[in-house]
Amino acid sequence: MGFARACSVALVGVDGVVVEVQADLEPGVATFSLVGLPDKTLVESRDRVRAAVVNSGAAWPQKKLTVGLSPASVPKSGAGFDLAVAAAVLGAAEVVDPKVIADLVLIGELGLDGRVRPVRGILPAVLAAAEAGYRQVVVPQQCAAEAVLVPDVSVLGVRSLRQLIAVLTEGEVPEEEPPDPSGRPDPMLAGLVVPGAGLGTGVARDGDGRDFPDLADVAGQHAARRALEVAAAGGHHLFLSGPPGAGKTMMAERIPWIMPPLTRQDSLEVTAVHSVAGILPPGEPLVARPPYCAPHHSATMQSLVGGGAGVARPGAVSLAHRGVLFLDEAAEFSTKALDALRQPLEAGHVVIARAAGVVRLPARFLMVLAANPCPCGRHTLHGTGCDCPASVIRRYQARLSGPLLDRVDLRVEVEPVTRSDLLGRGGRGEATAVVAARVREARDRAAARLDGTPWRLNAEVPGHELRTRWPAAPGAMAQAERDLERGLLTARGLDRVLRVAWTVADLRSRDRPDALDVAVALELRTGIARGATAHLDAAS
């Protein structure tokens, strides 16, 4: 009779639970039982592990073998338990010392030939192991760069089960064949990236030899460019409404580049989500720039907020965490899908309940909506003959519900591009680097003011805290309070006006918002011209 245990990690969303893999050998008919709430992929590990052990030169124990995954109440899925199961079996068979693997966390899939294949979710799995107090992990060599991002954890990357056995028995570590030198992609990395799982996700990267989108390429659109700067500086949601070809998509694509690079903690959060979703590019273990996610308007509610069969998977709101979620042709999205965004917009996370369990996924993103004013897109143009009846226009615009738009801080009417703007006669706008520098300074001011609180951006601060701890200048909110009484603003809208006013003040390097800052915020909120923008340009 032999017994040994090793450890692995079960992922529930982007949170991990350390699982103890126990192997027990008893005299009897040679069988292999796997218990502990495994899914179909994990049940099949019995065949993978047996073939990998034999093809690695070790003898398979001809006894009754039972492998238990504890705690048994936690759902376990995926092939990442293979390495831990193999180590536990070898420990029970005394091929390796059971004491050596008792506190070792092993994550990886085994091929039938004994090679260790990389799996998704290495970073959140190692983070969970570190939080549970484990300090030694074994991962596939291709994922070692992702695992070493976690501090205070010793990482061993192996390419095969033979190498792991040699390390555990203090033998000579065999050399494995390197990847194909012909330049073809490593087939072992195929399981890391899931085709079609990105939902239009793009991760901005520095130093890759490509030119990033420049805000100077946008012709005209001075009001919209100002709104982009305010949105990036304070994390405010933005709605761009205007005719086709005015540059709404072009401007949205440039927002991640005027946002500051991610902090270390934010990078780890974003990388963990992308790793679980299978969209983390191989060879780039850490996401450094804010992500950009632009799902098609045919996207379902599950693809936006997360879900799927079994354990819920990250949706577009989580893939855009700490970045930009761009919904082009927003009025064409399903009403149910759009209204499902209301909760993550307020909470910064999404909670999904399924039969397999409850998953909490991060979803702190900057939402940008873009829509035409009517089905033909020519309603706001003069002399172009919009053919849409008034009832059709009302129904089209009503697809964006009032409660959803009430959570959008900035609403901008994008004007058609004029010939002088398109030909550059009006002069080029500011470049991305210039605007990004102002955004960074504004964020630094907000961060210094909010130091010691759970918030970092103006858009995250609750209204009660703003009104009591960081009020505007005396009398500055008078016009906004009158709009509240007239029904032009809701109570939520009044709080959001104050948030935007703080961001405008930060961009102007002022200690607190004055009447001009509030007037600009009101213009951006209601779309009603109050002359504040002209005064702000003159003051600048």
Side-chain angles (χ1 to χ4, degrees):
M1 177 178 177
F3 175 84
R5 63 182 180 89
C7 294
S8 192
V9 178
L11 289 177
V12 183
V14 294
D15 297 321
V17 178
V18 176
V19 173
E20 190 175 273
V21 181
Q22 303 170 343
D24 178 70
L25 285 174
E26 296 181 358
V29 179
T31 59
F32 188 172
S33 299
L34 184 63
V35 297
L37 210 57
D39 70 344
K40 178 64 174 177
T41 305
L42 187 48
V43 168
E44 293 174 350
S45 70
R46 296 178 300 183
D47 300 320
R48 292 194 299 270
V49 170
R50 181 188 291 109
V53 169
V54 173
N55 290 325
S56 298
W60 183 259
Q62 299 300 315
K63 296 181 180 181
K64 180 182 178 181
L65 172 61
T66 303
V67 174
L69 308 175
S70 180
S73 59
V74 176
K76 304 164 190 72
S77 61
F81 292 87
D82 290 1
L83 205 58
V85 171
V89 171
L90 293 174
E94 298 183 352
V95 175
V96 300
D97 188 353
K99 296 180 181 179
V100 175
I101 62 173
D103 294 321
L104 198 61
V105 177
L106 303 102
I107 308 166
E109 177 185 348
L110 285 175
L112 301 184
D113 57 354
R115 290 185 298 173
V116 180
R117 302 182 65 92
V119 295
R120 301 191 302 274
I122 288 292
L123 178 59
V126 177
L127 282 170
E131 291 176 359
Y134 292 87
R135 292 294 175 261
Q136 291 183 313
V137 298
V138 178
V139 299
Q141 190 178 66
Q142 297 90 333
C143 300
E146 186 178 344
V148 297
L149 296 174
V150 182
D152 302 325
V153 174
S154 175
V155 177
L156 172 63
V158 294
R159 296 191 65 89
S160 68
L161 184 59
R162 286 182 292 271
Q163 290 185 339
L164 177 61
I165 295 174
V167 171
L168 296 178
T169 57
E170 299 182 352
E172 183 179 355
V173 179
E175 291 290 338
E176 297 294 340
E177 295 181 2
D180 190 350
S182 64
R184 292 182 298 178
D186 187 354
M188 298 290 285
L189 301 176
L192 287 180
V193 180
V194 180
L199 290 169
T201 300
V203 178
R205 301 178 184 90
D206 292 324
D208 57 1
R210 295 179 296 177
D211 294 331
F212 59 83
D214 196 342
L215 198 58
D217 298 334
V218 179
Q221 307 301 354
H222 301 292
R225 289 169 60 98
R226 181 183 299 279
L228 257 64
E229 183 175 342
V230 173
H236 306 288
H237 306 304
L238 172 65
F239 176 36
L240 301 173
S241 176
K248 301 186 293 296
T249 302
M250 190 177 184
M251 287 185 285
E253 290 174 344
R254 282 151 176 77
I255 294 181
W257 294 99
I258 63 176
M259 297 170 66
L262 299 175
T263 63
R264 175 73 176 186
Q265 180 61 35
D266 290 345
S267 293
L268 291 177
E269 292 178 3
V270 174
T271 303
V273 174
H274 286 213
S275 178
V276 169
I279 61 173
L280 190 64
E284 299 183 23
L286 187 65
V287 178
R289 299 289 310 184
Y292 175 81
C293 187
H296 190 259
H297 59 75
S298 62
T300 63
M301 182 173 65
Q302 288 77 14
S303 65
L304 284 180
V305 301
V311 179
R313 309 293 294 180
V317 297
S318 297
L319 300 180
H321 180 59
R322 299 299 179 185
V324 177
L325 175 65
F326 177 50
L327 303 182
D328 198 7
E329 303 295 343
E332 301 293 343
F333 278 79
S334 163
T335 303
K336 293 178 61 177
L338 289 176
D339 286 342
L341 299 176
R342 287 151 56 178
Q343 186 266 338
L345 284 175
E346 290 287 342
H349 63 267
V350 59
V351 178
I352 305 170
R354 292 291 185 270
V358 178
V359 175
R360 185 181 186 274
L361 298 169
R364 180 73 66 181
F365 56 90
L366 191 161
M367 182 180 68
V368 180
L369 303 174
N372 296 327
C374 67
C376 75
R378 299 192 297 269
H379 176 60
T380 57
L381 300 180
H382 301 289
T384 54
C386 174
D387 299 326
C388 302
S391 59
V392 173
I393 296 176
R394 286 195 301 269
R395 284 196 300 269
Y396 185 79
Q397 295 178 350
R399 294 182 181 179
L400 299 177
S401 67
L404 175 65
L405 291 180
D406 198 36
R407 290 165 169 81
V408 178
D409 301 341
L410 315 174
R411 307 173 191 177
V412 180
E413 291 287 341
V414 180
E415 299 294 333
V417 181
T418 63
R419 182 173 63 178
S420 61
D421 288 333
L422 190 61
L423 298 179
R425 295 173 184 172
R428 287 169 56 90
E430 291 180 311
T432 293
V434 177
V435 179
R438 287 201 301 268
V439 169
R440 182 189 290 272
E441 291 177 2
R443 286 206 176 192
D444 290 342
R445 290 180 63 87
R449 181 173 62 252
L450 300 174
D451 187 33
T453 71
W455 316 292
R456 289 179 295 171
L457 299 177
N458 292 323
E460 301 174 1
V461 185
H464 173 73
E465 296 290 338
L466 278 178
R467 292 191 300 270
T468 56
R469 298 176 61 180
W470 300 287
M477 294 292 291
Q479 182 61 54
E481 292 168 358
R482 285 195 294 269
D483 285 356
L484 175 65
E485 294 176 354
R486 296 163 56 193
L488 296 178
L489 287 177
T490 63
R492 179 189 289 117
L494 183 67
D495 290 340
R496 291 180 177 271
V497 166
L498 182 54
R499 293 175 182 174
V500 175
W502 265 110
T503 301
V504 176
D506 288 335
L507 288 169
R508 296 178 60 201
S509 300
R510 299 184 64 85
D511 294 333
R512 63 193 304 188
D514 57 16
L516 179 58
D517 299 323
V518 175
V520 172
L522 281 171
E523 280 193 11
L524 293 173
R525 172 77 183 181
T526 63
I528 301 175
R530 304 167 189 264
T533 302
H535 285 88
L536 185 62
D537 292 336
S540 301

